[in-house]
Structures are given as structure tokens and as C-alpha cells.
Amino acid sequence: MERRFLSLADVVETLNISMAQGYALVRSGDLPAIQVGPKKVWRIEAKELEAYIERMYAKSRERIKDPAPLDS
């Protein structure tokens, strides 16, 4: 059975980003998360991580289709 919730460390490892970048994604709301337990540890639902990845793919496709001019 697949785990429903991932730790922030799991997400950081999956995305190959720093812990600071992971916290920034959670705090900005880009990556929905909850805090659980007495220590208020962050947990991210696996489906939310997948949705975030899909949004980033869509953003990348849009940038490729319509690149911003280099000289503005």
C-alpha cells in the first residue's frame, strides 16, 4: 500500500531541492501541506505532490511555447 502522506524530507528528496526550498513551497501555499502531532511536523499528501509536479510541467510547457523576450 502506498503512503498517503509524505514528510517534507521525502518531498525535498523527490524534487531534489534544498530543505529551505521545500519550506518555501509549503509556506507560500504552492505545495499544500498540514502540520500534525505535538511537534507540528509538516506532511504533504502524495496526491498534492503529484498535482504540484503536474502544474510545474504545465508551466514549463507554456514557457517553451511562449518564451519571454530576453531584452525587455
Side-chain angles (χ1 to χ4, degrees):
M1 184 166 122
E2 227 175 283
R3 293 185 301 167
R4 179 175 177 182
F5 289 95
L6 305 168
S7 69
L8 190 54
D10 293 333
V11 170
V12 163
E13 183 179 333
T14 299
L15 296 176
N16 195 26
I17 60 175
S18 70
M19 189 60 84
Q21 289 170 312
Y23 277 117
L25 287 174
V26 167
R27 286 190 182 119
S28 71
D30 287 340
L31 183 59
I34 60 172
Q35 284 186 300
V36 296
K39 293 186 179 182
K40 303 287 187 196
V41 294
W42 286 106
R43 292 291 181 254
I44 297 90
E45 218 169 339
K47 71 177 186 167
E48 293 293 348
L49 176 58
E50 290 305 318
Y52 171 78
I53 292 168
E54 286 303 315
R55 288 192 305 275
M56 293 303 100
Y57 273 125
K59 240 184 196 181
S60 295
R61 283 191 294 272
E62 285 302 312
R63 265 187 297 218
I64 290 168
K65 270 199 298 191
D66 189 22
L70 294 176
D71 296 19
S72 301

